[in-house]
Amino acid sequence: MATTFEAVRAEALFASDLQSSQSPVGGEIRTAVAATLRRIGVQGCAARVASEFGDHPETAVARMAWALAQVRATYPAGGAKTVRAMRSLRRPGAVIGSVAA
């Protein structure tokens, strides 16, 4: 089962422009997740995921599986920086630079 952090990151990676065919590595994934969260926020990522699952469920399932696998391979479980960064998302207009750290 995905943690909340994993789910948010996976949704951000799903909503990003990064493609599985690019075979991205950890730094590229972290950058894509942070940039997407800064650009459209947590709710924007969730909305994009929902839209894709509604419009293209046959491809959305595979993309989400890929995104979740990449997030689990890229980010360590837990961490104080992560908790602080995710809490900052609750504030309107918050900048999420430390998520990529």
Side-chain angles (χ1 to χ4, degrees):
M1 175 179 245
T3 66
T4 302
F5 297 138
E6 285 178 334
V8 168
R9 288 171 174 155
E11 288 176 352
L13 184 56
F14 181 102
S16 76
D17 294 331
L18 206 57
Q19 298 297 313
S20 62
S21 61
Q22 295 171 302
S23 300
V25 294
E28 294 169 311
I29 291 166
R30 288 175 181 271
T31 298
V33 167
T36 304
L37 286 170
R38 275 194 298 273
R39 191 175 71 249
I40 63 175
V42 174
Q43 291 177 341
C45 291
R48 178 125 354 128
V49 169
S51 175
E52 286 300 312
F53 269 91
D55 295 342
H56 309 287
E58 66 284 351
T59 56
V61 171
R63 182 157 175 85
M64 182 51 79
W66 168 78
L68 188 54
Q70 293 303 309
V71 163
R72 286 179 173 162
T74 302
Y75 291 89
K81 276 186 167 181
T82 301
V83 171
R84 283 193 304 273
M86 297 306 285
R87 284 183 183 150
S88 75
L89 294 175
R90 295 181 190 159
R91 295 180 305 201
V95 176
I96 327 166
S98 61
V99 169

mmCIF file of all heavy atoms in Angstrom, residues 44-84:
data_model
loop_
_atom_site.group_PDB
_atom_site.id
_atom_site.type_symbol
_atom_site.label_atom_id
_atom_site.label_comp_id
_atom_site.label_asym_id
_atom_site.label_seq_id
_atom_site.Cartn_x
_atom_site.Cartn_y
_atom_site.Cartn_z
ATOM 1 N N GLY A 44 -3.868 19.847 -8.246
ATOM 2 C CA GLY A 44 -3.759 19.836 -9.698
ATOM 3 C C GLY A 44 -3.271 18.489 -10.216
ATOM 4 O O GLY A 44 -3.744 17.992 -11.243
ATOM 5 N N CYS A 45 -2.322 17.888 -9.495
ATOM 6 C CA CYS A 45 -1.825 16.562 -9.875
ATOM 7 C C CYS A 45 -2.937 15.530 -9.761
ATOM 8 O O CYS A 45 -3.135 14.708 -10.670
ATOM 9 C CB CYS A 45 -0.643 16.161 -8.997
ATOM 10 S SG CYS A 45 0.850 17.127 -9.278
ATOM 11 N N ALA A 46 -3.672 15.575 -8.651
ATOM 12 C CA ALA A 46 -4.769 14.630 -8.446
ATOM 13 C C ALA A 46 -5.834 14.792 -9.531
ATOM 14 O O ALA A 46 -6.370 13.807 -10.050
ATOM 15 C CB ALA A 46 -5.379 14.818 -7.066
ATOM 16 N N ALA A 47 -6.121 16.031 -9.895
ATOM 17 C CA ALA A 47 -7.110 16.285 -10.942
ATOM 18 C C ALA A 47 -6.641 15.751 -12.290
ATOM 19 O O ALA A 47 -7.424 15.154 -13.047
ATOM 20 C CB ALA A 47 -7.401 17.779 -11.042
ATOM 21 N N ARG A 48 -5.367 15.924 -12.594
ATOM 22 C CA ARG A 48 -4.830 15.423 -13.865
ATOM 23 C C ARG A 48 -4.888 13.905 -13.910
ATOM 24 O O ARG A 48 -5.240 13.309 -14.919
ATOM 25 C CB ARG A 48 -3.400 15.924 -14.050
ATOM 26 C CG ARG A 48 -2.760 15.413 -15.287
ATOM 27 C CD ARG A 48 -2.192 16.393 -16.276
ATOM 28 N NE ARG A 48 -2.372 17.783 -16.083
ATOM 29 C CZ ARG A 48 -1.382 18.669 -16.102
ATOM 30 N NH1 ARG A 48 -0.137 18.271 -16.256
ATOM 31 N NH2 ARG A 48 -1.623 19.949 -15.966
ATOM 32 N N VAL A 49 -4.535 13.253 -12.793
ATOM 33 C CA VAL A 49 -4.606 11.789 -12.721
ATOM 34 C C VAL A 49 -6.047 11.325 -12.927
ATOM 35 O O VAL A 49 -6.313 10.420 -13.723
ATOM 36 C CB VAL A 49 -4.050 11.268 -11.371
ATOM 37 C CG1 VAL A 49 -4.360 9.795 -11.177
ATOM 38 C CG2 VAL A 49 -2.546 11.513 -11.295
ATOM 39 N N ALA A 50 -6.974 11.959 -12.237
ATOM 40 C CA ALA A 50 -8.383 11.580 -12.359
ATOM 41 C C ALA A 50 -8.878 11.754 -13.792
ATOM 42 O O ALA A 50 -9.589 10.892 -14.327
ATOM 43 C CB ALA A 50 -9.245 12.409 -11.407
ATOM 44 N N SER A 51 -8.484 12.830 -14.410
ATOM 45 C CA SER A 51 -8.891 13.089 -15.790
ATOM 46 C C SER A 51 -8.354 12.020 -16.737
ATOM 47 O O SER A 51 -9.081 11.522 -17.604
ATOM 48 C CB SER A 51 -8.386 14.470 -16.217
ATOM 49 O OG SER A 51 -8.667 14.703 -17.571
ATOM 50 N N GLU A 52 -7.093 11.671 -16.563
ATOM 51 C CA GLU A 52 -6.495 10.649 -17.437
ATOM 52 C C GLU A 52 -7.126 9.279 -17.219
ATOM 53 O O GLU A 52 -7.337 8.528 -18.169
ATOM 54 C CB GLU A 52 -4.982 10.581 -17.230
ATOM 55 C CG GLU A 52 -4.244 11.752 -17.849
ATOM 56 C CD GLU A 52 -4.453 11.846 -19.357
ATOM 57 O OE1 GLU A 52 -4.312 10.825 -20.060
ATOM 58 O OE2 GLU A 52 -4.766 12.948 -19.827
ATOM 59 N N PHE A 53 -7.438 8.949 -15.959
ATOM 60 C CA PHE A 53 -8.101 7.672 -15.699
ATOM 61 C C PHE A 53 -9.503 7.657 -16.292
ATOM 62 O O PHE A 53 -9.980 6.616 -16.735
ATOM 63 C CB PHE A 53 -8.136 7.353 -14.199
ATOM 64 C CG PHE A 53 -6.958 6.554 -13.739
ATOM 65 C CD1 PHE A 53 -5.808 7.179 -13.273
ATOM 66 C CD2 PHE A 53 -6.972 5.165 -13.782
ATOM 67 C CE1 PHE A 53 -4.710 6.451 -12.856
ATOM 68 C CE2 PHE A 53 -5.886 4.422 -13.369
ATOM 69 C CZ PHE A 53 -4.748 5.061 -12.911
ATOM 70 N N GLY A 54 -10.156 8.805 -16.338
ATOM 71 C CA GLY A 54 -11.473 8.889 -16.951
ATOM 72 C C GLY A 54 -11.420 8.827 -18.462
ATOM 73 O O GLY A 54 -12.231 8.163 -19.103
ATOM 74 N N ASP A 55 -10.428 9.517 -19.049
ATOM 75 C CA ASP A 55 -10.326 9.602 -20.508
ATOM 76 C C ASP A 55 -9.588 8.433 -21.144
ATOM 77 O O ASP A 55 -9.936 7.993 -22.243
ATOM 78 C CB ASP A 55 -9.620 10.904 -20.916
ATOM 79 C CG ASP A 55 -10.410 12.145 -20.547
ATOM 80 O OD1 ASP A 55 -11.625 12.035 -20.291
ATOM 81 O OD2 ASP A 55 -9.798 13.240 -20.510
ATOM 82 N N HIS A 56 -8.543 7.960 -20.492
ATOM 83 C CA HIS A 56 -7.679 6.916 -21.072
ATOM 84 C C HIS A 56 -7.295 5.875 -20.026
ATOM 85 O O HIS A 56 -6.114 5.711 -19.705
ATOM 86 C CB HIS A 56 -6.398 7.537 -21.639
ATOM 87 C CG HIS A 56 -6.639 8.677 -22.558
ATOM 88 N ND1 HIS A 56 -7.136 8.526 -23.828
ATOM 89 C CD2 HIS A 56 -6.477 10.019 -22.385
ATOM 90 C CE1 HIS A 56 -7.253 9.710 -24.404
ATOM 91 N NE2 HIS A 56 -6.869 10.631 -23.546
ATOM 92 N N PRO A 57 -8.251 5.148 -19.475
ATOM 93 C CA PRO A 57 -7.936 4.205 -18.391
ATOM 94 C C PRO A 57 -6.947 3.118 -18.813
ATOM 95 O O PRO A 57 -6.153 2.660 -17.987
ATOM 96 C CB PRO A 57 -9.288 3.607 -18.018
ATOM 97 C CG PRO A 57 -10.167 3.849 -19.189
ATOM 98 C CD PRO A 57 -9.667 5.107 -19.838
ATOM 99 N N GLU A 58 -6.963 2.741 -20.066
ATOM 100 C CA GLU A 58 -6.071 1.669 -20.524
ATOM 101 C C GLU A 58 -4.597 2.062 -20.448
ATOM 102 O O GLU A 58 -3.743 1.227 -20.188
ATOM 103 C CB GLU A 58 -6.437 1.238 -21.948
ATOM 104 C CG GLU A 58 -6.221 2.274 -23.034
ATOM 105 C CD GLU A 58 -7.258 3.395 -23.092
ATOM 106 O OE1 GLU A 58 -8.290 3.332 -22.406
ATOM 107 O OE2 GLU A 58 -7.017 4.365 -23.832
ATOM 108 N N THR A 59 -4.278 3.335 -20.631
ATOM 109 C CA THR A 59 -2.886 3.772 -20.524
ATOM 110 C C THR A 59 -2.575 4.354 -19.147
ATOM 111 O O THR A 59 -1.430 4.314 -18.707
ATOM 112 C CB THR A 59 -2.547 4.810 -21.613
ATOM 113 O OG1 THR A 59 -3.460 5.900 -21.513
ATOM 114 C CG2 THR A 59 -2.631 4.185 -22.997
ATOM 115 N N ALA A 60 -3.584 4.889 -18.476
ATOM 116 C CA ALA A 60 -3.362 5.500 -17.171
ATOM 117 C C ALA A 60 -2.921 4.476 -16.132
ATOM 118 O O ALA A 60 -2.074 4.773 -15.282
ATOM 119 C CB ALA A 60 -4.625 6.221 -16.696
ATOM 120 N N VAL A 61 -3.456 3.276 -16.197
ATOM 121 C CA VAL A 61 -3.077 2.229 -15.235
ATOM 122 C C VAL A 61 -1.585 1.930 -15.341
ATOM 123 O O VAL A 61 -0.874 1.887 -14.334
ATOM 124 C CB VAL A 61 -3.924 0.959 -15.442
ATOM 125 C CG1 VAL A 61 -3.386 -0.194 -14.615
ATOM 126 C CG2 VAL A 61 -5.377 1.225 -15.102
ATOM 127 N N ALA A 62 -1.110 1.744 -16.559
ATOM 128 C CA ALA A 62 0.311 1.433 -16.763
ATOM 129 C C ALA A 62 1.196 2.600 -16.335
ATOM 130 O O ALA A 62 2.247 2.400 -15.719
ATOM 131 C CB ALA A 62 0.570 1.081 -18.222
ATOM 132 N N ARG A 63 0.769 3.834 -16.638
ATOM 133 C CA ARG A 63 1.578 4.997 -16.262
ATOM 134 C C ARG A 63 1.635 5.140 -14.741
ATOM 135 O O ARG A 63 2.693 5.451 -14.184
ATOM 136 C CB ARG A 63 1.033 6.273 -16.894
ATOM 137 C CG ARG A 63 1.883 7.491 -16.553
ATOM 138 C CD ARG A 63 1.720 8.601 -17.543
ATOM 139 N NE ARG A 63 2.436 9.808 -17.157
ATOM 140 C CZ ARG A 63 3.715 10.054 -17.404
ATOM 141 N NH1 ARG A 63 4.448 9.152 -18.046
ATOM 142 N NH2 ARG A 63 4.277 11.180 -17.021
ATOM 143 N N MET A 64 0.526 4.921 -14.043
ATOM 144 C CA MET A 64 0.540 5.040 -12.592
ATOM 145 C C MET A 64 1.402 3.942 -11.973
ATOM 146 O O MET A 64 2.128 4.193 -11.008
ATOM 147 C CB MET A 64 -0.872 5.009 -12.006
ATOM 148 C CG MET A 64 -0.891 5.187 -10.490
ATOM 149 S SD MET A 64 0.036 6.623 -9.868
ATOM 150 C CE MET A 64 -1.123 7.931 -10.206
ATOM 151 N N ALA A 65 1.335 2.737 -12.509
ATOM 152 C CA ALA A 65 2.186 1.655 -11.996
ATOM 153 C C ALA A 65 3.656 2.031 -12.165
ATOM 154 O O ALA A 65 4.478 1.820 -11.257
ATOM 155 C CB ALA A 65 1.871 0.352 -12.711
ATOM 156 N N TRP A 66 4.003 2.584 -13.315
ATOM 157 C CA TRP A 66 5.372 3.024 -13.569
ATOM 158 C C TRP A 66 5.761 4.142 -12.599
ATOM 159 O O TRP A 66 6.836 4.092 -11.993
ATOM 160 C CB TRP A 66 5.507 3.514 -15.019
ATOM 161 C CG TRP A 66 6.783 4.240 -15.277
ATOM 162 C CD1 TRP A 66 8.013 3.685 -15.478
ATOM 163 C CD2 TRP A 66 6.968 5.664 -15.321
ATOM 164 N NE1 TRP A 66 8.945 4.685 -15.651
ATOM 165 C CE2 TRP A 66 8.334 5.901 -15.567
ATOM 166 C CE3 TRP A 66 6.101 6.745 -15.189
ATOM 167 C CZ2 TRP A 66 8.851 7.187 -15.675
ATOM 168 C CZ3 TRP A 66 6.631 8.031 -15.298
ATOM 169 C CH2 TRP A 66 7.985 8.243 -15.538
ATOM 170 N N ALA A 67 4.876 5.139 -12.449
ATOM 171 C CA ALA A 67 5.179 6.270 -11.573
ATOM 172 C C ALA A 67 5.386 5.821 -10.130
ATOM 173 O O ALA A 67 6.337 6.244 -9.473
ATOM 174 C CB ALA A 67 4.052 7.307 -11.652
ATOM 175 N N LEU A 68 4.534 4.955 -9.644
ATOM 176 C CA LEU A 68 4.665 4.476 -8.268
ATOM 177 C C LEU A 68 5.944 3.674 -8.080
ATOM 178 O O LEU A 68 6.659 3.847 -7.089
ATOM 179 C CB LEU A 68 3.441 3.650 -7.869
ATOM 180 C CG LEU A 68 3.346 3.234 -6.412
ATOM 181 C CD1 LEU A 68 3.456 4.428 -5.468
ATOM 182 C CD2 LEU A 68 2.049 2.488 -6.171
ATOM 183 N N ALA A 69 6.282 2.836 -9.042
ATOM 184 C CA ALA A 69 7.534 2.056 -8.961
ATOM 185 C C ALA A 69 8.749 2.984 -8.956
ATOM 186 O O ALA A 69 9.704 2.773 -8.193
ATOM 187 C CB ALA A 69 7.613 1.069 -10.115
ATOM 188 N N GLN A 70 8.717 4.027 -9.784
ATOM 189 C CA GLN A 70 9.840 4.964 -9.836
ATOM 190 C C GLN A 70 9.972 5.749 -8.539
ATOM 191 O O GLN A 70 11.085 5.962 -8.049
ATOM 192 C CB GLN A 70 9.673 5.924 -11.028
ATOM 193 C CG GLN A 70 9.773 5.259 -12.372
ATOM 194 C CD GLN A 70 11.079 4.521 -12.550
ATOM 195 O OE1 GLN A 70 12.162 5.067 -12.329
ATOM 196 N NE2 GLN A 70 10.983 3.265 -12.920
ATOM 197 N N VAL A 71 8.849 6.164 -7.988
ATOM 198 C CA VAL A 71 8.874 6.909 -6.724
ATOM 199 C C VAL A 71 9.426 6.031 -5.615
ATOM 200 O O VAL A 71 10.266 6.460 -4.825
ATOM 201 C CB VAL A 71 7.464 7.446 -6.385
ATOM 202 C CG1 VAL A 71 7.352 7.859 -4.935
ATOM 203 C CG2 VAL A 71 7.115 8.600 -7.309
ATOM 204 N N ARG A 72 8.981 4.796 -5.545
ATOM 205 C CA ARG A 72 9.471 3.884 -4.493
ATOM 206 C C ARG A 72 10.958 3.610 -4.644
ATOM 207 O O ARG A 72 11.669 3.446 -3.645
ATOM 208 C CB ARG A 72 8.680 2.587 -4.526
ATOM 209 C CG ARG A 72 7.291 2.761 -3.968
ATOM 210 C CD ARG A 72 6.491 1.495 -4.007
ATOM 211 N NE ARG A 72 5.219 1.699 -3.294
ATOM 212 C CZ ARG A 72 4.177 0.924 -3.424
ATOM 213 N NH1 ARG A 72 4.212 -0.130 -4.233
ATOM 214 N NH2 ARG A 72 3.080 1.172 -2.747
ATOM 215 N N ALA A 73 11.458 3.572 -5.864
ATOM 216 C CA ALA A 73 12.882 3.321 -6.089
ATOM 217 C C ALA A 73 13.730 4.571 -5.860
ATOM 218 O O ALA A 73 14.912 4.461 -5.536
ATOM 219 C CB ALA A 73 13.095 2.819 -7.520
ATOM 220 N N THR A 74 13.141 5.735 -5.994
ATOM 221 C CA THR A 74 13.892 6.988 -5.938
ATOM 222 C C THR A 74 13.951 7.607 -4.547
ATOM 223 O O THR A 74 14.973 8.162 -4.158
ATOM 224 C CB THR A 74 13.290 8.014 -6.925
ATOM 225 O OG1 THR A 74 13.326 7.448 -8.238
ATOM 226 C CG2 THR A 74 14.041 9.317 -6.912
ATOM 227 N N TYR A 75 12.858 7.535 -3.816
ATOM 228 C CA TYR A 75 12.767 8.219 -2.525
ATOM 229 C C TYR A 75 12.902 7.222 -1.376
ATOM 230 O O TYR A 75 12.246 6.190 -1.386
ATOM 231 C CB TYR A 75 11.419 8.932 -2.383
ATOM 232 C CG TYR A 75 11.266 10.106 -3.304
ATOM 233 C CD1 TYR A 75 10.738 9.938 -4.579
ATOM 234 C CD2 TYR A 75 11.650 11.384 -2.909
ATOM 235 C CE1 TYR A 75 10.588 11.023 -5.437
ATOM 236 C CE2 TYR A 75 11.503 12.461 -3.747
ATOM 237 C CZ TYR A 75 10.975 12.274 -5.013
ATOM 238 O OH TYR A 75 10.825 13.338 -5.857
ATOM 239 N N PRO A 76 13.712 7.562 -0.384
ATOM 240 C CA PRO A 76 13.788 6.702 0.800
ATOM 241 C C PRO A 76 12.496 6.789 1.604
ATOM 242 O O PRO A 76 11.781 7.794 1.529
ATOM 243 C CB PRO A 76 14.960 7.286 1.587
ATOM 244 C CG PRO A 76 15.009 8.723 1.164
ATOM 245 C CD PRO A 76 14.549 8.740 -0.273
ATOM 246 N N ALA A 77 12.195 5.763 2.323
ATOM 247 C CA ALA A 77 10.988 5.759 3.170
ATOM 248 C C ALA A 77 11.186 6.722 4.325
ATOM 249 O O ALA A 77 12.192 6.666 5.030
ATOM 250 C CB ALA A 77 10.707 4.362 3.691
ATOM 251 N N GLY A 78 10.227 7.618 4.536
ATOM 252 C CA GLY A 78 10.266 8.556 5.665
ATOM 253 C C GLY A 78 11.249 9.683 5.476
ATOM 254 O O GLY A 78 11.668 10.000 4.379
ATOM 255 N N GLY A 79 11.598 10.319 6.570
ATOM 256 C CA GLY A 79 12.557 11.411 6.546
ATOM 257 C C GLY A 79 11.938 12.712 7.004
ATOM 258 O O GLY A 79 10.857 13.072 6.588
ATOM 259 N N ALA A 80 12.638 13.428 7.870
ATOM 260 C CA ALA A 80 12.113 14.668 8.441
ATOM 261 C C ALA A 80 11.931 15.750 7.390
ATOM 262 O O ALA A 80 10.970 16.508 7.434
ATOM 263 C CB ALA A 80 13.044 15.162 9.541
ATOM 264 N N LYS A 81 12.844 15.849 6.412
ATOM 265 C CA LYS A 81 12.712 16.863 5.372
ATOM 266 C C LYS A 81 11.430 16.645 4.585
ATOM 267 O O LYS A 81 10.737 17.589 4.229
ATOM 268 C CB LYS A 81 13.897 16.811 4.410
ATOM 269 C CG LYS A 81 15.099 17.562 4.843
ATOM 270 C CD LYS A 81 16.112 17.548 3.727
ATOM 271 C CE LYS A 81 17.212 18.542 3.960
ATOM 272 N NZ LYS A 81 18.177 18.542 2.865
ATOM 273 N N THR A 82 11.132 15.422 4.302
ATOM 274 C CA THR A 82 9.926 15.098 3.543
ATOM 275 C C THR A 82 8.684 15.524 4.301
ATOM 276 O O THR A 82 7.771 16.120 3.734
ATOM 277 C CB THR A 82 9.868 13.590 3.240
ATOM 278 O OG1 THR A 82 11.022 13.232 2.493
ATOM 279 C CG2 THR A 82 8.628 13.231 2.465
ATOM 280 N N VAL A 83 8.641 15.227 5.576
ATOM 281 C CA VAL A 83 7.480 15.576 6.393
ATOM 282 C C VAL A 83 7.293 17.086 6.408
ATOM 283 O O VAL A 83 6.183 17.587 6.209
ATOM 284 C CB VAL A 83 7.617 15.015 7.823
ATOM 285 C CG1 VAL A 83 6.525 15.546 8.724
ATOM 286 C CG2 VAL A 83 7.600 13.493 7.787
ATOM 287 N N ARG A 84 8.370 17.833 6.623
ATOM 288 C CA ARG A 84 8.265 19.297 6.635
ATOM 289 C C ARG A 84 7.809 19.819 5.280
ATOM 290 O O ARG A 84 6.969 20.711 5.201
ATOM 291 C CB ARG A 84 9.608 19.921 7.024
ATOM 292 C CG ARG A 84 9.919 19.853 8.498
ATOM 293 C CD ARG A 84 11.095 20.753 8.861
ATOM 294 N NE ARG A 84 12.303 20.458 8.101
ATOM 295 C CZ ARG A 84 13.218 19.547 8.435
ATOM 296 N NH1 ARG A 84 13.048 18.833 9.534
ATOM 297 N NH2 ARG A 84 14.284 19.348 7.707
#
